[in-house]
Amino acid sequence: IISTPPIAIEQARKEIFRMAGIVSFMYSDVRGILTDFDARKVEMVRQNEQVLDSLSAEISSFLAALSNTAISPEINYEIPGLIQVVSILEHIGDECEDILDTILSKKESGIIFSDEAMDELVSMAKIVARILSEAERVLKTGESCDPGELHQSKAGTRNQFEKIKQSHYERIC
């Protein structure tokens, strides 16, 4: 495939879309575990993280090899962006596993959140799910985001986070 760069870059994109799907499943499972513990989902998150690590290494190596053979400037221009997407997806998978570890630690320690705190966590988890879904859509379709909508979404997410942080601080006090 490497000897035919346009086909190789398309194959890399397909594997990156596969990574994005795995990340979506991981986050969905972690989000479900937040409110309803399921040992099978815990194991699935762990397995998917290993798959992501493997895909990340393989796709990055493939793209590096492709960059050494691609003559087309368009393909050479696209490769660093694809490598960055692979890195970001792998990082999101790592974060999902970190969130899972935190949930398990809290469960094992017997820490129970108030209903208000759980509602806030679920609210923030929904916002993150929406953002991940939109990112996956943009990645798959190649459509660009409207800068105004993106700015509004980021501001709304920050605002919600600050409200939750303030509410948490008030409960602690």
Side-chain angles (χ1 to χ4, degrees), residues 30-75:
V30 167
R31 193 172 144 205
I33 292 168
L34 182 65
T35 55
D36 186 27
F37 184 78
D38 183 343
R40 290 174 298 177
K41 286 184 179 181
V42 170
E43 187 56 33
M44 284 302 299
V45 170
R46 301 259 189 241
Q47 289 174 2
N48 282 329
E49 172 53 24
Q50 291 174 355
V51 171
L52 276 183
D53 288 344
S54 176
L55 282 171
S56 175
E58 293 296 323
I59 295 169
S60 296
S61 295
F62 180 80
L63 289 169
L66 179 60
S67 72
N68 291 329
T69 62
I71 298 171
S72 166
E74 293 84 22
I75 290 176

Short mmCIF file of all heavy atoms in Angstrom, two decimals, residues 30-75:
data_model
loop_
_atom_site.label_atom_id
_atom_site.label_comp_id
_atom_site.label_asym_id
_atom_site.label_seq_id
_atom_site.Cartn_x
_atom_site.Cartn_y
_atom_site.Cartn_z
N VAL A 30 -17.24 4.54 30.08
CA VAL A 30 -16.81 5.24 31.30
C VAL A 30 -17.96 6.07 31.84
O VAL A 30 -18.22 6.09 33.05
CB VAL A 30 -15.56 6.11 31.04
CG1 VAL A 30 -15.30 7.07 32.18
CG2 VAL A 30 -14.35 5.23 30.80
N ARG A 31 -18.65 6.74 30.96
CA ARG A 31 -19.80 7.56 31.36
C ARG A 31 -20.87 6.70 32.01
O ARG A 31 -21.47 7.08 33.02
CB ARG A 31 -20.34 8.28 30.14
CG ARG A 31 -21.28 9.38 30.45
CD ARG A 31 -21.61 10.14 29.18
NE ARG A 31 -22.99 10.54 29.26
CZ ARG A 31 -23.76 10.79 28.24
NH1 ARG A 31 -23.29 10.69 27.03
NH2 ARG A 31 -24.99 11.16 28.41
N GLY A 32 -21.11 5.52 31.46
CA GLY A 32 -22.09 4.60 32.06
C GLY A 32 -21.66 4.10 33.42
O GLY A 32 -22.47 3.99 34.34
N ILE A 33 -20.36 3.83 33.58
CA ILE A 33 -19.83 3.34 34.85
C ILE A 33 -19.95 4.41 35.93
O ILE A 33 -20.10 4.09 37.11
CB ILE A 33 -18.37 2.88 34.67
CG1 ILE A 33 -18.31 1.63 33.79
CG2 ILE A 33 -17.69 2.63 36.01
CD1 ILE A 33 -16.92 1.27 33.31
N LEU A 34 -19.93 5.65 35.52
CA LEU A 34 -20.04 6.76 36.47
C LEU A 34 -21.32 6.65 37.30
O LEU A 34 -21.31 6.89 38.49
CB LEU A 34 -20.02 8.10 35.71
CG LEU A 34 -20.07 9.37 36.51
CD1 LEU A 34 -18.83 9.51 37.39
CD2 LEU A 34 -20.19 10.57 35.57
N THR A 35 -22.41 6.23 36.67
CA THR A 35 -23.69 6.16 37.37
C THR A 35 -24.17 4.75 37.66
O THR A 35 -25.02 4.55 38.53
CB THR A 35 -24.79 6.88 36.55
OG1 THR A 35 -24.85 6.30 35.24
CG2 THR A 35 -24.50 8.36 36.44
N ASP A 36 -23.64 3.77 36.91
CA ASP A 36 -24.10 2.39 37.08
C ASP A 36 -22.92 1.45 36.86
O ASP A 36 -22.60 1.11 35.72
CB ASP A 36 -25.23 2.10 36.08
CG ASP A 36 -25.86 0.74 36.28
OD1 ASP A 36 -25.82 0.22 37.42
OD2 ASP A 36 -26.37 0.20 35.29
N PHE A 37 -22.30 1.02 37.94
CA PHE A 37 -21.09 0.20 37.84
C PHE A 37 -21.36 -1.11 37.12
O PHE A 37 -22.34 -1.80 37.38
CB PHE A 37 -20.50 -0.10 39.23
CG PHE A 37 -19.22 -0.84 39.16
CD1 PHE A 37 -18.03 -0.20 38.86
CD2 PHE A 37 -19.19 -2.22 39.35
CE1 PHE A 37 -16.84 -0.88 38.78
CE2 PHE A 37 -18.00 -2.92 39.26
CZ PHE A 37 -16.82 -2.25 38.98
N ASP A 38 -20.47 -1.45 36.18
CA ASP A 38 -20.57 -2.69 35.41
C ASP A 38 -19.15 -3.19 35.16
O ASP A 38 -18.38 -2.57 34.42
CB ASP A 38 -21.30 -2.42 34.09
CG ASP A 38 -21.52 -3.68 33.27
OD1 ASP A 38 -20.85 -4.70 33.52
OD2 ASP A 38 -22.36 -3.62 32.35
N ALA A 39 -18.81 -4.32 35.78
CA ALA A 39 -17.45 -4.86 35.68
C ALA A 39 -17.08 -5.20 34.23
O ALA A 39 -15.93 -5.09 33.84
CB ALA A 39 -17.30 -6.09 36.56
N ARG A 40 -18.07 -5.61 33.42
CA ARG A 40 -17.78 -5.92 32.01
C ARG A 40 -17.33 -4.67 31.26
O ARG A 40 -16.44 -4.73 30.43
CB ARG A 40 -19.00 -6.53 31.34
CG ARG A 40 -19.32 -7.95 31.83
CD ARG A 40 -20.60 -8.42 31.24
NE ARG A 40 -21.65 -7.49 31.73
CZ ARG A 40 -22.91 -7.54 31.39
NH1 ARG A 40 -23.33 -8.44 30.56
NH2 ARG A 40 -23.78 -6.69 31.89
N LYS A 41 -17.97 -3.54 31.56
CA LYS A 41 -17.58 -2.29 30.91
C LYS A 41 -16.18 -1.87 31.35
O LYS A 41 -15.42 -1.32 30.55
CB LYS A 41 -18.58 -1.18 31.21
CG LYS A 41 -19.88 -1.34 30.46
CD LYS A 41 -20.81 -0.17 30.72
CE LYS A 41 -22.10 -0.35 29.94
NZ LYS A 41 -23.01 0.78 30.15
N VAL A 42 -15.85 -2.12 32.61
CA VAL A 42 -14.50 -1.81 33.09
C VAL A 42 -13.47 -2.57 32.25
O VAL A 42 -12.49 -2.01 31.77
CB VAL A 42 -14.34 -2.15 34.59
CG1 VAL A 42 -12.89 -2.05 35.03
CG2 VAL A 42 -15.22 -1.25 35.45
N GLU A 43 -13.73 -3.85 32.06
CA GLU A 43 -12.80 -4.68 31.28
C GLU A 43 -12.75 -4.22 29.82
O GLU A 43 -11.68 -4.20 29.21
CB GLU A 43 -13.21 -6.15 31.37
CG GLU A 43 -12.22 -7.09 30.73
CD GLU A 43 -10.79 -6.97 31.26
OE1 GLU A 43 -10.60 -6.68 32.45
OE2 GLU A 43 -9.85 -7.15 30.46
N MET A 44 -13.89 -3.82 29.27
CA MET A 44 -13.92 -3.34 27.88
C MET A 44 -13.10 -2.07 27.73
O MET A 44 -12.38 -1.91 26.73
CB MET A 44 -15.36 -3.09 27.42
CG MET A 44 -16.12 -4.36 27.10
SD MET A 44 -15.34 -5.37 25.82
CE MET A 44 -15.35 -4.27 24.43
N VAL A 45 -13.19 -1.17 28.69
CA VAL A 45 -12.40 0.06 28.63
C VAL A 45 -10.91 -0.28 28.64
O VAL A 45 -10.13 0.26 27.85
CB VAL A 45 -12.75 1.02 29.80
CG1 VAL A 45 -11.76 2.18 29.87
CG2 VAL A 45 -14.17 1.54 29.65
N ARG A 46 -10.52 -1.19 29.51
CA ARG A 46 -9.10 -1.60 29.59
C ARG A 46 -8.64 -2.22 28.26
O ARG A 46 -7.56 -1.92 27.77
CB ARG A 46 -8.90 -2.59 30.73
CG ARG A 46 -9.29 -2.05 32.09
CD ARG A 46 -8.10 -1.61 32.87
NE ARG A 46 -8.49 -1.30 34.23
CZ ARG A 46 -8.35 -0.12 34.79
NH1 ARG A 46 -7.80 0.87 34.11
NH2 ARG A 46 -8.72 0.09 36.04
N GLN A 47 -9.47 -3.10 27.71
CA GLN A 47 -9.09 -3.74 26.44
C GLN A 47 -9.02 -2.72 25.30
O GLN A 47 -8.09 -2.77 24.48
CB GLN A 47 -10.10 -4.84 26.08
CG GLN A 47 -10.01 -6.05 26.96
CD GLN A 47 -11.12 -7.06 26.67
OE1 GLN A 47 -11.94 -6.88 25.78
NE2 GLN A 47 -11.14 -8.14 27.45
N ASN A 48 -9.98 -1.81 25.26
CA ASN A 48 -9.97 -0.79 24.21
C ASN A 48 -8.77 0.13 24.33
O ASN A 48 -8.23 0.58 23.31
CB ASN A 48 -11.27 0.01 24.22
CG ASN A 48 -12.42 -0.73 23.58
OD1 ASN A 48 -12.22 -1.52 22.66
ND2 ASN A 48 -13.62 -0.49 24.05
N GLU A 49 -8.33 0.40 25.54
CA GLU A 49 -7.13 1.24 25.72
C GLU A 49 -5.91 0.53 25.13
O GLU A 49 -5.06 1.17 24.49
CB GLU A 49 -6.92 1.57 27.20
CG GLU A 49 -5.61 2.26 27.51
CD GLU A 49 -5.31 3.51 26.69
OE1 GLU A 49 -6.24 4.17 26.17
OE2 GLU A 49 -4.12 3.83 26.55
N GLN A 50 -5.82 -0.77 25.32
CA GLN A 50 -4.70 -1.51 24.73
C GLN A 50 -4.78 -1.49 23.20
O GLN A 50 -3.76 -1.34 22.52
CB GLN A 50 -4.70 -2.95 25.24
CG GLN A 50 -4.35 -3.06 26.71
CD GLN A 50 -4.48 -4.48 27.25
OE1 GLN A 50 -4.93 -5.39 26.55
NE2 GLN A 50 -4.10 -4.66 28.50
N VAL A 51 -5.98 -1.61 22.66
CA VAL A 51 -6.16 -1.54 21.21
C VAL A 51 -5.75 -0.17 20.70
O VAL A 51 -5.05 -0.05 19.68
CB VAL A 51 -7.62 -1.87 20.81
CG1 VAL A 51 -7.86 -1.58 19.34
CG2 VAL A 51 -7.96 -3.31 21.13
N LEU A 52 -6.16 0.88 21.41
CA LEU A 52 -5.78 2.25 21.01
C LEU A 52 -4.26 2.43 21.02
O LEU A 52 -3.71 3.04 20.10
CB LEU A 52 -6.40 3.28 21.95
CG LEU A 52 -7.81 3.72 21.66
CD1 LEU A 52 -8.24 4.80 22.65
CD2 LEU A 52 -7.99 4.21 20.25
N ASP A 53 -3.61 1.94 22.06
CA ASP A 53 -2.15 2.05 22.12
C ASP A 53 -1.50 1.37 20.93
O ASP A 53 -0.59 1.93 20.30
CB ASP A 53 -1.61 1.44 23.43
CG ASP A 53 -1.93 2.27 24.65
OD1 ASP A 53 -2.29 3.45 24.51
OD2 ASP A 53 -1.82 1.72 25.77
N SER A 54 -1.98 0.19 20.59
CA SER A 54 -1.44 -0.55 19.46
C SER A 54 -1.71 0.18 18.14
O SER A 54 -0.81 0.33 17.30
CB SER A 54 -2.06 -1.95 19.43
OG SER A 54 -1.62 -2.66 18.30
N LEU A 55 -2.95 0.62 17.95
CA LEU A 55 -3.29 1.35 16.73
C LEU A 55 -2.47 2.63 16.60
O LEU A 55 -2.00 2.97 15.51
CB LEU A 55 -4.78 1.70 16.69
CG LEU A 55 -5.73 0.58 16.31
CD1 LEU A 55 -7.18 1.02 16.53
CD2 LEU A 55 -5.51 0.16 14.87
N SER A 56 -2.30 3.33 17.70
CA SER A 56 -1.52 4.56 17.68
C SER A 56 -0.10 4.30 17.19
O SER A 56 0.41 5.01 16.31
CB SER A 56 -1.48 5.18 19.09
OG SER A 56 -0.64 6.30 19.11
N ALA A 57 0.53 3.29 17.74
CA ALA A 57 1.91 2.97 17.34
C ALA A 57 1.96 2.54 15.87
O ALA A 57 2.84 3.01 15.12
CB ALA A 57 2.47 1.87 18.24
N GLU A 58 1.04 1.68 15.47
CA GLU A 58 1.05 1.17 14.09
C GLU A 58 0.75 2.27 13.07
O GLU A 58 1.42 2.37 12.04
CB GLU A 58 0.06 0.02 13.94
CG GLU A 58 0.44 -1.23 14.72
CD GLU A 58 1.74 -1.84 14.23
OE1 GLU A 58 1.99 -1.84 13.01
OE2 GLU A 58 2.50 -2.33 15.08
N ILE A 59 -0.27 3.07 13.34
CA ILE A 59 -0.64 4.12 12.39
C ILE A 59 0.48 5.17 12.30
O ILE A 59 0.83 5.62 11.21
CB ILE A 59 -1.97 4.78 12.78
CG1 ILE A 59 -3.12 3.77 12.65
CG2 ILE A 59 -2.26 6.00 11.90
CD1 ILE A 59 -4.44 4.24 13.25
N SER A 60 1.05 5.54 13.44
CA SER A 60 2.14 6.52 13.42
C SER A 60 3.34 6.00 12.62
O SER A 60 3.93 6.74 11.82
CB SER A 60 2.56 6.88 14.84
OG SER A 60 1.50 7.53 15.51
N SER A 61 3.68 4.74 12.83
CA SER A 61 4.79 4.13 12.07
C SER A 61 4.47 4.09 10.58
O SER A 61 5.32 4.38 9.74
CB SER A 61 5.07 2.72 12.57
OG SER A 61 5.54 2.74 13.89
N PHE A 62 3.25 3.72 10.27
CA PHE A 62 2.81 3.66 8.88
C PHE A 62 2.90 5.03 8.23
O PHE A 62 3.42 5.17 7.11
CB PHE A 62 1.38 3.12 8.83
CG PHE A 62 0.81 2.99 7.44
CD1 PHE A 62 1.14 1.90 6.64
CD2 PHE A 62 -0.06 3.94 6.94
CE1 PHE A 62 0.61 1.77 5.37
CE2 PHE A 62 -0.59 3.82 5.67
CZ PHE A 62 -0.26 2.74 4.88
N LEU A 63 2.42 6.06 8.91
CA LEU A 63 2.46 7.41 8.36
C LEU A 63 3.89 7.91 8.22
O LEU A 63 4.22 8.61 7.25
CB LEU A 63 1.63 8.37 9.22
CG LEU A 63 0.11 8.18 9.11
CD1 LEU A 63 -0.60 8.99 10.19
CD2 LEU A 63 -0.39 8.54 7.73
N ALA A 64 4.75 7.56 9.16
CA ALA A 64 6.16 7.95 9.05
C ALA A 64 6.80 7.28 7.84
O ALA A 64 7.54 7.94 7.07
CB ALA A 64 6.92 7.57 10.32
N ALA A 65 6.51 6.01 7.63
CA ALA A 65 7.05 5.31 6.46
C ALA A 65 6.48 5.92 5.18
O ALA A 65 7.21 6.08 4.19
CB ALA A 65 6.71 3.82 6.54
N LEU A 66 5.21 6.28 5.20
CA LEU A 66 4.59 6.89 4.04
C LEU A 66 5.23 8.24 3.70
O LEU A 66 5.44 8.56 2.54
CB LEU A 66 3.08 7.07 4.28
CG LEU A 66 2.28 7.71 3.15
CD1 LEU A 66 2.39 6.88 1.87
CD2 LEU A 66 0.82 7.86 3.57
N SER A 67 5.58 9.00 4.72
CA SER A 67 6.18 10.31 4.48
C SER A 67 7.53 10.18 3.78
O SER A 67 7.97 11.09 3.08
CB SER A 67 6.33 11.10 5.78
OG SER A 67 7.35 10.54 6.58
N ASN A 68 8.19 9.05 3.97
CA ASN A 68 9.48 8.83 3.31
C ASN A 68 9.32 8.44 1.84
O ASN A 68 10.28 8.54 1.08
CB ASN A 68 10.28 7.74 4.04
CG ASN A 68 10.74 8.20 5.39
OD1 ASN A 68 11.00 9.38 5.61
ND2 ASN A 68 10.84 7.28 6.33
N THR A 69 8.13 7.97 1.45
CA THR A 69 7.94 7.52 0.07
C THR A 69 7.02 8.42 -0.73
O THR A 69 7.05 8.36 -1.96
CB THR A 69 7.35 6.09 0.05
OG1 THR A 69 6.08 6.11 0.67
CG2 THR A 69 8.27 5.10 0.73
N ALA A 70 6.21 9.23 -0.07
CA ALA A 70 5.23 10.06 -0.78
C ALA A 70 5.94 11.19 -1.53
O ALA A 70 6.77 11.89 -0.97
CB ALA A 70 4.21 10.62 0.19
N ILE A 71 5.57 11.32 -2.78
CA ILE A 71 6.13 12.39 -3.60
C ILE A 71 5.19 13.59 -3.62
O ILE A 71 5.62 14.72 -3.71
CB ILE A 71 6.38 11.86 -5.04
CG1 ILE A 71 7.39 10.72 -4.99
CG2 ILE A 71 6.85 12.97 -5.96
CD1 ILE A 71 7.57 9.98 -6.29
N SER A 72 3.93 13.33 -3.49
CA SER A 72 2.91 14.38 -3.57
C SER A 72 3.02 15.34 -2.39
O SER A 72 2.98 14.93 -1.23
CB SER A 72 1.53 13.74 -3.58
OG SER A 72 0.53 14.69 -3.33
N PRO A 73 3.12 16.64 -2.66
CA PRO A 73 3.17 17.63 -1.56
C PRO A 73 1.88 17.63 -0.72
O PRO A 73 1.93 17.88 0.47
CB PRO A 73 3.36 18.96 -2.24
CG PRO A 73 3.53 18.70 -3.69
CD PRO A 73 3.27 17.26 -3.96
N GLU A 74 0.74 17.34 -1.37
CA GLU A 74 -0.53 17.33 -0.62
C GLU A 74 -0.51 16.23 0.44
O GLU A 74 -0.96 16.44 1.56
CB GLU A 74 -1.72 17.10 -1.57
CG GLU A 74 -1.98 18.22 -2.54
CD GLU A 74 -1.10 18.12 -3.80
OE1 GLU A 74 -0.61 17.02 -4.13
OE2 GLU A 74 -0.91 19.17 -4.44
N ILE A 75 0.00 15.07 0.09
CA ILE A 75 0.05 13.96 1.03
C ILE A 75 1.07 14.25 2.12
O ILE A 75 0.79 14.05 3.31
CB ILE A 75 0.35 12.62 0.30
CG1 ILE A 75 -0.88 12.22 -0.52
CG2 ILE A 75 0.71 11.52 1.31
CD1 ILE A 75 -0.71 10.99 -1.36
#
